[in-house]
Amino acid sequence: MIGKTANVGIVIVSHSPLVARGIADMVRQMVGDSVPLAWSGGNVHGELGTDAGGILRAIEAAWSDAGVAVFVDLGGAETNSEMAIEILGLPRSALVSICNAPLVEGAVIAAAEASGGASLAKVVATAEELSP
């Protein structure tokens, strides 16, 4: 989606491929195609876990020059997302933020905010307001 939208992209990362895909489906139904969206779930064998390579591919798929907000479910997903962002390298890695927000609610509210053209900082801040 490089160059196709000015809206912030959203990436869903879960240890479960079913959870990741389900949340991405929910987000897509709520905001349509106005937001670049991708997901990564499971390890390289399709089992529970996460994979930095898969997360990197999801970031690339949801890429927007406005930035990408990444939503994760558990600690390993965050660690592998950090590795994927590092592999992405500068200058693009500076445009990717991992959100400290509830996975489902955060992704939905972030996508709604992004669909209105909000900046990456605003998308992340809005989602993180949902954190306890």
Side-chain angles (χ1 to χ4, degrees):
M1 288 218 136
I2 294 174
K4 293 190 183 206
T5 179
N7 292 336
V8 169
I10 304 292
V11 171
I12 311 297
V13 180
S14 175
H15 281 69
S16 167
L18 295 173
V19 169
R21 181 178 178 178
I23 295 169
D25 287 346
M26 179 185 292
V27 169
R28 181 61 70 219
Q29 288 180 36
M30 298 187 87
V31 300
D33 292 328
S34 64
V35 174
L37 176 68
W39 60 272
S40 178
N43 64 21
V44 294
H45 305 293
E47 301 165 341
L48 291 179
T50 59
D51 169 53
I55 297 166
L56 178 60
R57 287 187 295 279
I59 292 170
E60 294 277 5
W63 184 258
S64 167
D65 290 340
V68 176
V70 179
F71 292 85
V72 300
D73 62 358
L74 300 170
E78 183 171 2
T79 301
N80 279 329
S81 294
E82 289 168 351
M83 288 192 319
I85 293 166
E86 192 172 307
I87 294 166
L88 184 64
L90 291 171
R92 293 197 306 156
S93 62
L95 294 174
V96 182
S97 293
I98 298 172
C99 296
N100 180 21
L103 184 57
V104 177
E105 297 91 337
V108 169
I109 196 75
E113 194 74 27
S115 71
S119 69
L120 178 60
K122 178 67 174 164
V123 168
V124 170
T126 300
E128 290 184 345
E129 286 176 9
L130 300 171
S131 290

